Amino acid sequence: MSSSRADYLIVGAGVFGASTALQLSKQKPSASVCLIDRTPFPCPIAASHDLNKSVRADYEDLFYCGLGIKALERWRNDPLFKQFYYQSGMITIENGPESLGTKIIDNFKKLKVHYEAEVFSPDEMRTRFDGLFADADYSYVTEVYWNPLSGWAEAARAVEATTQAAVDGGVQYVAASVSELLLEDGRCKGIRTTEGRTYYADHVILSTGANTAKLLADTAPEEPGMQVARRITAAAVCEAATDMNEEQKKKYRNMPVFVLDDGVTQGETLPITPDGQMKFIRDVPWKNTVKHQASRQSISVPLTTPARSQWSKPSELPKGLREEIGMVIKGIYGETQGSQLVPQRMRMCWDGLTQDDDWYICSHPRCANLYVATGGSFHGWKFLPILGEYVVQMLDGELGSEEAKRWAWDRSLTGLPPNPLEPKRELRDIVA
């Protein structure tokens, strides 16, 4: 089988991989960069291949709030990204012991940035937003957080444009499935595809998301130090979409992003896309635990074929997932209005979920030339315009001290509170 060589080889063309490829093409134009993924871009079963995703700086964590503000500036002003961004505003309802909205607004004040966010009562929400939420029961809600400066972006189109910009800048794109990394004397030399072709590189960067644990287990089953262990779990949530008729398009034209994190409904809805689709998400993940025989460990692995993880006809939608999405729709819009929004398509969105919601942007401490840039944890996508900058800083040994500490491979996970998104159920319990 033939082989090729590059200075940088990125495995995975999702949000981390595409952003890194673009940044390398800008900062290191004389370097050879290869970006590899399973299919021609964008990969249809990747987490990044989606209708739309929220874009916001609304974080309780001051660190990610600051990163979000930086990313939002790019979404609004960078010619590559602003064509896909829509400032719809975002509503968040979270019934916690402390005021989510107050924490976020305090962060904006600490960062000394302009903000228009506010907190108001559920009763007031009924009279706003064209009365879209007047039908729903929010009697159990104490407050509503509203930020008119947040929004959403067309996900697949933005990642595709980012990848194309990288290719236009000289990056080689390869459509092939990676079967294993090539290790020798404690170093990673490259990768081997399922077809047997080898690609060598001085720097191998894993942006493999939910596939990371399996790839490392397949590569080095007898080396515990190489494994993901508890760091990243392959987790999935259910997303659904429906086509809106002309009357609905008019009714929902001012629809904001809406996140309902009330401990029961746990879901989201996003505004109508340019082609007339509205998306819903049930934010209660599951995993797919299997026994990896060679490494003698149990790991969660994502489904890798559209046939098992996507449904394009209403008659094909799994009953359990249909009911869960229905709970989200009616929880946000109310029984009467919600019954008119019927899902027509569904997909599983797999991501690499970390224990602490921090990503991994680091070298692998037990394998030279191997680097990791992944672990989006269902919130990394919005940082598409800036992620690559931090990955390149890491590759050059110039990552800031706080970033390096947060995103390190061997950071401490001891004593962490449970991640609210940590899957407590299995795929087999959801879909037969």
Side-chain angles (χ1 to χ4, degrees):
M1 285 287 182
S2 60
S3 63
S4 63
R5 182 167 196 87
D7 295 315
Y8 298 90
L9 172 61
I10 306 165
V11 184
V15 61
F16 282 88
S19 185
T20 299
L22 178 59
Q23 196 63 28
L24 284 169
S25 74
K26 291 179 175 180
Q27 290 189 222
K28 303 178 186 292
S30 62
S32 55
V33 181
C34 179
L35 176 61
I36 187 168
D37 208 336
R38 293 164 285 187
T39 69
F41 64 90
C43 178
I45 56 176
S48 298
H49 189 275
D50 203 348
L51 280 178
N52 51 3
K53 291 184 185 291
S54 63
V55 175
R56 61 184 175 86
D58 309 282
Y59 278 88
E60 296 178 72
D61 186 322
L62 184 65
F63 175 78
Y64 284 106
C65 185
L67 288 186
I69 290 167
K70 181 179 178 181
L72 260 172
E73 189 276 332
R74 300 286 180 83
W75 282 110
R76 291 169 179 154
N77 300 301
D78 190 307
L80 176 61
F81 299 107
K82 69 179 184 180
Q83 59 187 314
F84 306 113
Y85 175 69
Y86 303 81
Q87 187 171 296
S88 63
M90 186 179 77
I91 296 169
T92 304
I93 292 177
E94 180 181 282
N95 265 0
E98 300 180 65
S99 170
L100 169 72
T102 300
K103 288 182 181 179
I104 296 172
I105 291 171
D106 284 345
N107 282 343
F108 292 150
K109 292 177 180 177
K110 290 175 184 176
L111 294 168
K112 299 180 180 179
V113 297
H114 171 75
Y115 70 91
E116 298 177 17
E118 59 178 317
V119 174
F120 51 77
S121 72
D123 286 339
E124 185 175 344
M125 186 169 69
R126 295 180 185 279
T127 64
R128 299 172 67 160
F129 310 105
D130 299 331
L132 288 177
F133 312 112
D135 214 20
D137 177 15
Y138 291 117
S139 60
Y140 61 93
V141 173
T142 55
E143 66 175 33
V144 176
Y145 171 75
W146 162 242
N147 187 351
L149 302 184
S150 295
W152 59 278
E154 297 176 73
R157 292 188 65 206
V159 174
E160 182 178 11
T162 303
T163 306
Q164 186 63 59
V167 171
D168 293 344
V171 171
Q172 177 192 13
Y173 187 91
V174 175
S177 295
V178 175
S179 61
E180 63 177 338
L181 307 180
L182 300 175
L183 307 183
E184 184 178 284
D185 299 327
R187 306 176 74 83
C188 182
K189 303 190 303 177
I191 61 94
R192 179 178 287 111
T193 70
T194 53
E195 293 81 18
R197 184 168 183 177
T198 53
Y199 292 81
Y200 297 98
D202 299 323
H203 307 80
V204 179
I205 305 155
L206 300 185
S207 294
T208 39
N211 292 288
T212 306
K214 185 177 186 301
L215 179 57
L216 289 176
D218 288 344
T219 296
E222 300 297 333
E223 299 181 41
M226 286 290 296
Q227 306 305 314
V228 163
R230 294 178 55 238
R231 295 177 180 87
I232 304 171
T233 300
V237 295
C238 178
E239 299 181 345
T242 187
D243 295 319
M244 308 294 278
N245 60 39
E246 292 305 315
E247 183 180 345
Q248 290 173 320
K249 289 177 185 177
K250 183 177 180 180
K251 179 178 181 178
Y252 292 92
R253 65 185 181 279
N254 296 320
M255 169 71 194
V257 177
F258 195 122
V259 179
L260 181 56
D261 185 11
D262 64 354
V264 180
T265 303
Q266 298 292 107
E268 306 172 34
T269 183
L270 281 87
I272 301 172
T273 59
D275 63 352
Q277 298 184 70
M278 182 183 283
K279 188 179 96 172
F280 314 97
I281 310 168
R282 168 70 163 156
D283 287 330
V284 181
W286 61 82
K287 55 187 173 180
N288 181 35
T289 305
V290 300
K291 183 71 174 179
H292 191 270
Q293 297 298 332
S295 64
R296 297 179 294 280
Q297 60 178 326
S298 294
I299 58 176
S300 177
V301 300
L303 300 184
T304 56
T305 59
R308 294 189 62 201
S309 58
Q310 298 179 9
W311 301 272
S312 58
K313 298 178 181 178
S315 60
E316 298 174 345
L317 307 185
K319 182 175 182 292
L321 294 181
R322 192 168 64 244
E323 291 174 349
E324 292 196 19
I325 289 293
M327 182 189 304
V328 172
I329 295 172
K330 292 177 182 178
I332 291 174
Y333 293 107
E335 188 75 27
T336 301
Q337 189 169 312
S339 63
Q340 299 170 8
L341 299 170
V342 181
Q344 294 166 308
R345 289 169 297 282
M346 283 186 182
R347 71 186 290 261
M348 297 183 190
C349 178
W350 290 90
D351 202 359
L353 180 68
T354 68
Q355 294 287 308
D356 51 10
D357 275 343
D358 282 323
W359 313 318
Y360 286 95
I361 299 179
C362 56
S363 60
H364 196 300
R366 282 166 284 285
C367 187
N369 297 349
L370 181 62
Y371 305 86
V372 181
T374 195
S377 301
F378 298 109
H379 78 105
W381 190 92
K382 65 181 72 67
F383 299 96
L384 171 66
I386 64 172
L387 280 172
E389 297 176 16
Y390 295 100
V391 178
V392 174
Q393 288 174 21
M394 178 272 295
L395 292 168
D396 290 344
E398 299 174 352
L399 198 60
S401 58
E402 182 172 7
E403 289 86 353
K405 182 179 179 181
R406 276 181 174 260
W407 299 334
W409 187 255
D410 283 338
R411 64 182 183 254
S412 175
L413 300 175
T414 304
L416 287 174
N419 188 326
L421 288 178
E422 181 68 25
K424 298 178 177 62
R425 52 186 186 163
E426 293 284 345
L427 172 65
R428 60 179 174 270
D429 302 325
I430 310 301
V431 180

